Amino acid sequence: MTRRIALADVNNFYCSCERVFQPRYEGVPIVVLSNNDGCVVARSAEVKALGVTMGTPWFQLQDLARGHGIVAFSSNYVLYGDMSARCMRVLGQFVPPEDQEIYSIDESFLDFTAQPHVDLTATGQAMRQRVRQWTGLPICVGYGPTKTLAKLANQVAKMRPGWSGVCDLTATPPAALDALLATIDVGDVWGIGGRYGARLAEQGITSAAQLRAADPRRLREQFGVVMERTVRELQGVACLELEDVQPKQQLVASRAFGEPVFTLDGLAESIRDYVQRAVRKLRRQGSVAGAVGLWFETSRFRAQDAQYAPTATLTLPAPTDDVAAITQVAIAILKQLFRPGYRYVKSGVILQDLRDHDVQQGQLFDTGVLTVDARRENLLAMLDRANGRWGNGTIGIGSAGIKRPRAWAMQRGNLSPAYTTRWDELAKVH
């Protein structure tokens, strides 16, 4: 049976989220900036047409912004995460749960193989209409017999208006498919990119059609197994299955400071905050951590500053998801590493050696059944509920639970409201 894989992708996701609640910016060139409003991490179609590339520092775009009316937004991760969840729930209505893979914050694969009589084009339009009506987000849908072809189909649906936002390659005749793939640069194929694209071009392979016609075994000898799978996927042989969401093997919480930090207390505040963020993710995926790592650093871009960037990892006596215990270990590491007299610009925490919470490894000299402190578990669950309901940092360990402005906190001067997660920031209709 020919597989029928869809890829639904939100157009210019971050920018589209901003436009949902501020429709006056439809058609207006907008960008979303990275932490501390540093670089461009998302661009509307109008900004892309001006030649602005990803990662361009915002300060370099001031003249262009004034000349073309570019509007900049700070990254509103809470809003984007909530809008993503809403969109994925809507898309999940079209297939059983086991046939949906949420690939990224704005992309989802859907497997329609078990629905052979479904009209894919009509279903794609139905998905677009429902997501737009229920969330306000614009999406495009591409279909293919493999995930790689579905990715290319989505690209065609998004970039070529003649397809009306839906491209179905599952029933496209081979000659027509070759003609279409001949118009797509090989570097635009999923998993190829600029570096491999340049090497392939040296061998005369410049289009997706030429890559599809290549010998996968020969390319494997030069590029490895991933390239072979890509070629076979282009040839219609499914090598990539839909994947379940797997627990992460490590969790990191780290951000650059809004202002430099010079003191131990200032670094400790950031570390407590980052530990709380990381542990919340840890508990959400049902894991415990066996080791805690920590680092902080000066700016390597300031040659005039003394440089210091220590890092250390400490194995825990027993794997845990207790935010207080992990915080205590992280602060102990910090005190060992800290040196006064430096201009620190960033810190971070990493939880490693992650394991399933419900599977505990016994020790050699254990004398009985491993026990769980029920009162402690209830306390941690209460922290989870409070922070989940009223926002991260509502209750925390030490300074992580204190509500006051912090000089080191990320600067977001153009932050939009939390329209979907805070009652006092709901959009108002006048």
Side-chain angles (χ1 to χ4, degrees), residues 260-262 297-309 341-345:
V261 171
F262 298 91
E297 61 190 54
T298 53
S299 175
R300 59 185 178 274
F301 302 108
R302 288 176 57 92
Q304 68 271 33
D305 291 348
Q307 299 296 308
Y308 183 48
Y342 291 93
R343 183 180 187 273
Y344 298 110
V345 299

Side-chain angles (χ1 to χ4, degrees), residues 135-176:
T135 72
L137 295 171
I139 69 168
C140 287
V141 182
Y143 294 97
T146 67
K147 293 172 77 172
T148 300
L149 284 171
K151 270 270 196 179
L152 282 179
N154 183 276
Q155 179 181 324
V156 170
K158 185 178 294 185
M159 303 303 296
R160 306 186 185 190
W163 291 86
S164 301
V166 178
C167 175
D168 179 13
L169 299 182
T170 61
T172 304

Side-chain angles (χ1 to χ4, degrees), residues 74-90:
S74 302
S75 295
N76 191 337
Y77 300 116
V78 173
L79 174 65
Y80 307 151
D82 186 67
M83 292 296 288
S84 172
R86 292 167 185 248
C87 177
M88 298 309 165
R89 284 197 296 269
V90 175

Side-chain angles (χ1 to χ4, degrees), residues 82-104:
D82 186 67
M83 292 296 288
S84 172
R86 292 167 185 248
C87 177
M88 298 309 165
R89 284 197 296 269
V90 175
L91 292 173
Q93 296 176 354
F94 290 86
V95 293
E98 63 271 17
D99 290 336
Q100 180 182 24
E101 175 192 341
I102 299 175
Y103 179 68
S104 68

Side-chain angles (χ1 to χ4, degrees), residues 236-264:
V237 179
C239 301
L240 303 173
E241 299 295 329
L242 291 192
E243 299 177 359
D244 296 327
V245 178
Q246 298 295 323
K248 294 184 178 180
Q249 299 305 304
Q250 62 181 26
L251 292 167
V252 179
S254 173
R255 283 179 182 168
F257 300 143
E259 294 182 6
V261 171
F262 298 91
T263 67
L264 175 62

Side-chain angles (χ1 to χ4, degrees), residues 357-379:
H357 178 277
D358 297 325
V359 180
Q360 298 190 48
Q361 177 67 48
Q363 302 298 318
L364 178 61
F365 299 106
D366 284 344
T367 58
V369 178
L370 294 173
T371 60
V372 176
D373 186 336
R375 294 183 63 188
R376 191 70 176 177
E377 285 294 319
N378 288 338
L379 173 62

Side-chain angles (χ1 to χ4, degrees), residues 146-319:
T146 67
K147 293 172 77 172
T148 300
L149 284 171
K151 270 270 196 179
L152 282 179
N154 183 276
Q155 179 181 324
V156 170
K158 185 178 294 185
M159 303 303 296
R160 306 186 185 190
W163 291 86
S164 301
V166 178
C167 175
D168 179 13
L169 299 182
T170 61
T172 304
L177 179 58
D178 280 336
L180 178 62
L181 296 183
T183 66
I184 299 174
D185 186 270
V186 69
D188 292 333
V189 176
W190 188 28
I192 300 300
R195 184 165 63 90
Y196 282 150
R199 290 179 58 188
L200 289 168
E202 293 174 356
Q203 303 184 31
I205 300 175
T206 60
S207 71
Q210 291 171 325
L211 182 61
R212 181 172 185 257
D215 184 346
R217 291 169 295 183
R218 183 177 66 84
L219 290 183
R220 175 176 180 166
E221 295 173 356
Q222 302 176 62
F223 297 91
V225 67
V226 174
M227 180 66 74
E228 179 188 17
R229 290 173 181 168
T230 299
V231 175
R232 293 192 184 281
E233 285 253 323
L234 288 174
Q235 294 172 347
V237 179
C239 301
L240 303 173
E241 299 295 329
L242 291 192
E243 299 177 359
D244 296 327
V245 178
Q246 298 295 323
K248 294 184 178 180
Q249 299 305 304
Q250 62 181 26
L251 292 167
V252 179
S254 173
R255 283 179 182 168
F257 300 143
E259 294 182 6
V261 171
F262 298 91
T263 67
L264 175 62
D265 288 343
L267 282 175
E269 281 191 353
S270 70
I271 293 302
R272 292 189 189 100
D273 186 70
Y274 299 157
V275 166
Q276 180 155 310
R277 294 175 184 273
V279 171
R280 186 178 178 195
K281 297 176 184 177
L282 181 76
R283 290 178 59 81
R284 191 181 299 155
Q285 73 173 34
S287 299
V288 291
V292 179
L294 180 145
W295 76 93
F296 47 95
E297 61 190 54
T298 53
S299 175
R300 59 185 178 274
F301 302 108
R302 288 176 57 92
Q304 68 271 33
D305 291 348
Q307 299 296 308
Y308 183 48
T311 181
T313 301
L314 185 63
T315 300
L316 298 169

